[in-house]
Amino acid sequence: MCDIGISSKHLKQLENEAIFVMREVAAQFEKPALLFSGGKDSIVLVHLAKKAFFPCKIPFPLLHIDTGHNFEETLVYRDKLAQTMGCKLIVKLVQESIDTGRCKEECGINASRNKLQTITLLDAIEELKIDAAIGGGRRDEEKARAKERFFSHRDEFGQWDPKNQRPELWHIFNGRKNMGEHFRVFPISNWTELDVWLYIYKEQIPLPDIYFTHRRKVFRRNGTLLAYAPFMTLAPHEKIIEEDVRCRTIGDITCTGLTVSKANALPEIVKEVAASRISERGAREDDKRSEAAMEDRKKEGYF
């Protein structure tokens, strides 16, 4: 790891900070849950939670909001991880929100269920009485996420006001809330994408195969390679091809851009990320819907 200038001491400091935040959640809240997507950041969160509460089991459930359009590799990994860790896994389906009329399926070529996750998540938080939802958001990902605190307050409607966040001097976190309000908590806020990959490499954390180079059917849309799935509608000019690709970030299939890559091992991925000049979310189609797409979604209650 020394050849790219990141020391184990740096990773240990980040780990200690994240573990401290996790323990603060356990101390201050009655019904926390860890939002688990099957992506690398939420996988690292589970690993950190295991360390934070060892030798006891992780004291809160994993909550997965399943769009119904997830990569199969992440679902298989999710179930295996929950079983291995002995964690309670709660899965809430966007399809149920659509079936009950809570949200409406998008139509057309660019249709995605990514935004619909917000309704399902807020309903799950209300149903399960969750007062702290732990997420893997990092400040380096996107400008809206750079505005987040470790303890990010949400009002009784689940909405976020970036201008009304509480100060966190000297890592003193204020988790006080009124009835119906909750917090989103981001233990790895100060990590970068490279930090995450270095930590995965250092700790030898298993990942879904989709993060490593593999052959997959893809098509190009607006300059982005997207994985092809039978439920997706292609424009007349869009052609299905096969490429050696991998994911840098994982979300709904309809909006997760793929990276052409030859990196099929952790050291190669670390070098690739270290050399990249494009954000991992640069290929996320959902972030391109408007200039403030992520901030708008977050204000409504998105992750």
Side-chain angles (χ1 to χ4, degrees):
M1 289 186 288
C2 297
D3 59 334
I4 53 176
I6 303 292
S7 69
S8 293
K9 182 180 178 181
H10 170 73
L11 293 178
K12 190 63 178 177
Q13 289 172 337
L14 291 173
E15 179 189 72
N16 289 341
E17 180 180 63
I19 286 174
F20 175 77
V21 174
M22 291 264 193
R23 290 172 176 167
E24 280 292 300
V25 170
Q28 294 196 41
F29 297 99
E30 294 182 6
K31 296 197 71 176
L34 193 154
L35 301 179
F36 187 79
S37 67
K40 66 184 184 306
D41 297 322
S42 59
I43 291 170
V44 165
L45 282 182
V46 174
H47 185 81
L48 289 165
K50 179 183 177 181
K51 283 195 168 190
F53 303 105
F54 184 83
C56 299
K57 289 184 179 181
I58 298 173
F60 34 74
L62 308 184
L63 173 60
H64 180 219
I65 306 301
D66 187 347
T67 66
H69 294 167
N70 296 102
F71 289 96
E72 183 64 25
E73 294 94 328
T74 63
L75 299 182
V76 171
Y77 182 95
R78 175 199 70 189
D79 295 341
K80 183 178 179 180
L81 179 68
Q83 183 179 20
T84 302
M85 290 286 189
C87 296
K88 179 180 180 182
L89 173 64
I90 301 171
V91 179
K92 294 296 182 180
L93 306 175
V94 170
Q95 185 63 54
E96 289 185 1
S97 299
I98 295 170
D99 293 343
T100 57
R102 290 287 293 140
C103 56
K104 184 178 180 181
E105 183 97 67
E106 292 184 359
C107 301
I109 289 177
N110 294 309
S112 173
R113 289 186 173 184
N114 199 57
K115 187 177 180 180
L116 305 186
Q117 294 178 86
T118 300
I119 297 296
T120 310
L121 173 61
L122 292 177
D123 286 349
I125 287 172
E126 182 177 3
E127 176 193 344
L128 301 169
K129 308 300 181 187
I130 293 169
D131 54 2
I134 304 168
R138 307 187 324 269
R139 294 187 181 121
D140 76 315
E141 287 183 89
E142 200 272 344
K143 58 187 178 181
R145 286 189 167 164
K147 300 177 182 180
E148 291 279 19
R149 299 288 197 267
F150 281 100
F151 276 31
S152 185
H153 176 263
R154 297 299 195 268
D155 65 19
E156 64 271 27
F157 301 107
Q159 296 178 332
W160 172 63
D161 181 0
K163 297 179 181 178
N164 189 28
Q165 295 298 303
R166 300 169 182 180
E168 295 179 338
L169 302 176
W170 306 292
H171 279 150
I172 297 175
F173 303 121
N174 181 358
R176 287 179 292 180
K177 58 182 179 56
N178 296 317
M179 183 72 70
E181 298 175 346
H182 74 278
F183 280 80
R184 306 290 171 85
V185 180
F186 304 102
I188 60 172
S189 289
N190 288 332
W191 298 44
T192 65
E193 181 190 9
L194 182 57
D195 292 330
V196 169
W197 280 110
L198 285 166
Y199 188 73
I200 290 169
Y201 176 52
K202 173 178 173 290
E203 299 288 310
Q204 290 297 294
I205 302 172
L207 293 174
D209 292 340
I210 197 169
Y211 275 115
F212 302 93
T213 295
H214 58 285
R215 197 77 172 171
R216 183 179 288 271
K217 290 183 178 180
V218 299
F219 65 97
R220 191 171 294 278
R221 174 173 293 170
N222 301 324
T224 301
L225 277 180
L226 296 174
Y228 172 73
F231 53 78
M232 299 176 74
T233 303
L234 271 61
H237 66 279
E238 293 174 338
K239 306 299 180 184
I240 299 173
I241 58 175
E242 288 194 356
E243 287 278 6
D244 290 329
V245 295
R246 72 175 192 87
C247 285
R248 284 179 68 184
T249 179
I250 295 177
D252 190 272
I253 290 177
T254 57
C255 61
T256 299
L258 303 174
T259 300
V260 175
S261 173
K262 295 182 179 180
N264 55 17
L266 286 173
E268 296 169 3
I269 291 176
V270 168
K271 291 179 182 178
E272 185 177 272
V273 172
S276 177
R277 298 179 64 188
I278 301 174
S279 164
E280 64 185 302
R281 293 194 68 93
R284 285 292 291 267
E285 283 295 297
D286 51 328
D287 289 350
K288 298 178 181 178
R289 293 194 171 197
S290 73
E291 187 175 347
M294 171 63 83
E295 182 155 338
D296 292 340
R297 292 201 306 274
K298 285 180 69 63
K299 287 179 178 178
E300 295 171 358
Y302 187 74
F303 301 109

